[in-house]
Structures are given as C-alpha cells and as structure tokens.
Amino acid sequence: DMNQRYRFVNQRFEQAYDLPRSEFFGKQVRELLGPEGYAAAEGHITAALAGDPVSYEGLFDHPDRTARWLRLDYVPDREPAGDVHGFVGMITDITERKQAEEELRRSKERLEEAQRTAQIGDWEYDILAGKTTWSAEVYRIFGLDPDTYVPNSKSDEMLCHPDDTEALRRAFDEFFASGEPMDLDYRIATPKGTFKFIRRRGRLILDEQGSPSLAIGTIEDITERKEAEQRVLEHQHRLQALASQLTLAEERERRRIARELHDEVGQRLTFARMGLASARETASEGQREAILEDVSQAVRQAIGDIRDLIFDLSSPLMDEVGLAAALEEWMEEQVGKKYGLQTEFVHDGQRLHL
C-alpha cells in the first residue's frame, strides 16, 4: 500500500523467505529487505507509488544466503477513480539467464582473443535481409572502427585492391551461382594507405526449401606469409643469378686453363721435342747430355704446370678435408711459398694463421 506495507504475497514468495504468509501482512518493505536492500529499491518504489511502472534488475542477497540475480517489476495499483493506493510487485529469478549471459560473454572474449592471435575473423551475410556482420578481428584486419563503420554488400569491393577487384567479383558470382565453397587470396587497401593480403573463405547455408539463406566464412590476414613467400622467391632469383654467374666464371676459367695448356705447357713440350731431335743429331756426348738436361728440366716444368692446372680444376684435398683446409693449403702453397707473403685466413669467425 502507500505505506509500503505488504497486503498479499503468493506461495513462491513464502517459500523464498521460508515464512508463513501471515508473517508478511503489515510488515514494511524496509523491514524485509534490510537497510542495503531497501536503499537499492527505495527510488523505484517511490516512482511506482507516484504512478510510474518500474522495471529493473539487480544482484540481491537471498534468504538462503546466496546472491541471486532478480528482475523486479513494480506496477502502480490504482483505484477505480485512477488514484494510486499502492503497487503490485513481481519478482523473477533471472540468475540462470545472467549466468548464461556471463558465460556467453566470456566465450566471446575467448573467441576474440583466439581470433586476434590467429589473425582470423569471421563474417556473415544474411541473404534475405541483405545484412553483413563482421567479428571484431575482421574490423581490425581491415583497419576500421566497429563503432563508426557499418559493413554492407559493397564493402568487400570498396576495400579491395584495384588490381584484385575483378577477381573478387568473379569469385563471389561463382560462389552464389554454384553454391560451392569460396577460397580466395587477394589484397585489400586499409584507411592508412597500406595493403594487406587476406584469405577469404565462405560457404552457403540453405533453408528448408534448399535455397541459400545465409553465407558465412572467415577472413585471415596472410600478409606475413605472403611477404615471407616473396622473400623466398627473391632469394631463389638471387641464387639463380648467382648460379648463372658461377657458370660464366667456370667458362672463363676453362678458357684460361686452355690458354695456359696451349701457351705454357705447349711451349715447354715443344721445346722438349725439339731438344730430343737435336740430341739425336748431335755427335758430341757432352752436348747431348746438356741438351737432355734442358729437355728434362722442360718436362719437369710442364709436369708442374699440369699439376697446378689439375689442382685448379679439382682439389683432392678439398674432397678429403673440406674447403677451409684446402684453401689454407692453397694459400700457403701458391701465395706464401711462391711470393714469400704471410697470409691470414678467416673461417667461421676464427682467424687461421697460415
């Protein structure tokens, strides 16, 4: 009533407070709710007694000493003349609904965190309503604010890289015409002027009549993967260019060796052949021995030249002990002994004194 005294309670209310109905009659709301509970309800009660319907939710201490979520509706109780002489209160226990909402909220947060980590968002298009819905991660991928941007059926083409727009349009046409799943990589332009690579997947949901009613799918940011693939491709191109350079270097080396065989070794062997011919024609034993000594020296020099050329072509030492040791041996033999220079070779960050 207007004095906030209970005039009627139903059986569920009795059970909630574990009191007989007679205990409520004449008791004020303040006495039943206690100071804290009444402080939370006082403003709503005042409004209801002033003639305004009230509805609100709150977490209250239950008589069984548990906290319960309740929905409270206060409806003014009017006399036939229209004057308010009290209010009718209805209490609904919405604890389970609130717990379900809280679990849903936490599940959504976990999903959003998983999508942020994987850089994969989800999208939905209601074909009948023409409404597009994005997850928070899709907004992040596109660089758009979910509070200010509302996606629509034209958003995908508007945000697509100009060079990929036609391919995206054909993919969507085929997707809706054939009903087959969509899987397309393409580029998008962000509001900051940067470009990203994304992978869009989608599938159609059919209604009871077998007609498409909903399109759902995912959008994945694959920019890092595409950039890595590009770096690998560039590396392969550099390796191919290096291989071509090595082939040219080998060809130049073959020509050099051919020239040395012709010039150095050929001249020494020609000298040896001419010396032998001269020795056969010389009657003097002393001259013959001198000529043969010169021929022997020329042959030894030719053998040395041939050995050097063979080493240049393929070093047996490299096959046995590896490149580092072979280079060490070659530097010592060709630079140190031949020219009297001290050399230093660095391998795996360590200096090797030769």
Side-chain angles (χ1 to χ4, degrees), residues 16-30:
Y17 283 90
D18 194 23
L19 292 172
R21 186 174 302 183
S22 59
E23 291 289 331
F24 292 99
F25 294 154
K27 188 183 293 292
Q28 285 191 317
V29 175
R30 183 194 303 270

Side-chain angles (χ1 to χ4, degrees), residues 161-280:
H161 188 287
D163 294 342
D164 295 345
T165 302
E166 185 59 32
L168 179 64
R169 187 181 296 118
R170 287 197 305 268
F172 267 116
D173 290 343
E174 182 178 352
F175 173 57
F176 287 110
S178 68
E180 295 296 322
M182 170 193 284
D183 193 340
L184 178 69
D185 294 355
Y186 64 96
R187 291 166 292 176
I188 60 169
T190 69
K192 294 182 179 180
T194 60
F195 295 102
K196 292 182 177 181
F197 284 92
I198 67 171
R199 181 180 186 182
R200 176 184 285 272
R201 300 182 188 181
R203 64 185 181 92
L204 293 176
I205 305 296
L206 306 181
D207 59 19
E208 295 178 355
Q209 288 72 39
S211 300
S213 61
L214 192 69
I216 61 174
T218 59
I219 291 178
E220 179 182 2
D221 186 346
I222 59 172
T223 304
E224 292 183 1
R225 191 192 78 190
K226 286 290 187 179
E227 290 176 347
E229 290 175 354
Q230 182 63 31
R231 289 193 294 270
V232 170
L233 185 61
E234 292 173 355
H235 183 62
Q236 289 176 341
H237 289 163
R238 288 196 297 269
L239 288 178
Q240 291 173 355
L242 180 60
S244 298
Q245 295 175 3
L246 289 174
T247 301
L248 293 175
E250 290 174 354
E251 182 61 29
R252 289 193 296 268
E253 185 65 10
R254 282 193 292 269
R255 293 197 188 102
R256 181 188 68 80
I257 292 173
R259 285 195 301 270
E260 291 190 10
L261 283 171
H262 179 271
D263 296 342
E264 299 292 336
V265 178
Q267 290 179 9
R268 298 188 192 282
L269 292 178
T270 299
F271 174 78
R273 181 178 59 81
M274 293 173 61
L276 290 174
S278 175
R280 283 196 299 267

Side-chain angles (χ1 to χ4, degrees), residues 134-171:
W134 289 349
S135 70
E137 183 61 14
V138 173
Y139 281 99
R140 191 202 65 77
I141 291 173
F142 282 111
L144 297 171
D145 186 352
D147 294 330
T148 58
Y149 185 82
V150 180
N152 56 65
S153 59
K154 301 297 182 182
S155 296
D156 294 304
E157 289 190 15
M158 292 172 56
L159 297 169
C160 183
H161 188 287
D163 294 342
D164 295 345
T165 302
E166 185 59 32
L168 179 64
R169 187 181 296 118
R170 287 197 305 268

Side-chain angles (χ1 to χ4, degrees), residues 292-305:
L292 290 176
E293 180 60 31
D294 292 339
V295 169
S296 177
Q297 180 65 24
V299 170
R300 284 195 297 269
Q301 290 175 343
I303 291 173
D305 292 339

Side-chain angles (χ1 to χ4, degrees), residues 4 29-30 33-49 54 56 60 74 87:
Q4 302 182 24
V29 175
R30 183 194 303 270
L33 298 183
E36 292 184 6
Y38 182 75
E42 183 178 14
H44 302 295
I45 293 174
T46 301
L49 293 176
V54 175
Y56 68 101
F60 297 91
Y74 298 158
F87 70 92

